[in-house]
Amino acid sequence: MSSKTILAGLLALILSCMPALAGGDGGGSRDSGTSAGGGQRSGLSSKATRTVVTTLTRGFDRCGTLPQVYKFDCFRHTYKLAAQQLSGNQAYAEAHKALVLVEDTLTAAVKQNLDPAQKPKRKGLNLYRAVKPAAVPQIKRQAETAMKQAETILLRSPASKQEHYTRIAQAVNSNKVLLRSALLPGAMIRLAWSLLKTAVPA
């Protein structure tokens, strides 16, 4: 059992005990396309995989510092950026599909539940929109379902892609576990973030 699986299980245990608190190159594909980073390259590569994994993990880290109602638009932006990094590289076609699935789910959920009473909040160079507080549980469920579906797509990829796709699936799983912890007290959220960040390979 990998350290990632152990840590994810540990966090799940923490959550269940608190009910009162509410990559070297590999698998060389010859498909043409654009790699992460925008260069005219094709095929699977450690650099492209690492870029996407870093975007997903650091993106959720950054989103975690926002008030809860703004997190989902930030999560949406994170998956949009990660998907863009794989766009055009056919070796990552299934991974791109998986990330777009999560992005589209969050885009629709945020759009349908925008809170006009709250002004957008800036984080770095981006502005994030707030959703209605009452909609948070529903959006979390929708996002978690999309992430599970994305994991399934990634883990069912051809054997030649598994080394790279498994790493992306691990990052999505980390996001999913952190999403479940969103209602925990601040100290527990920071602990979860720290544990899962260190579990994803650089």
Side-chain angles (χ1 to χ4, degrees), residues 7 10-18 21 64 71 177-196:
L7 286 173
L10 176 61
L11 183 54
L13 178 62
I14 292 174
L15 293 173
S16 67
C17 293
M18 301 180 66
L21 296 173
K71 292 181 191 293
V177 175
L178 290 173
L179 182 68
R180 291 173 179 170
S181 73
L183 293 178
L184 289 175
M188 291 303 299
I189 292 176
R190 288 191 293 273
L191 172 61
W193 244 257
S194 177
L195 286 173
L196 288 165

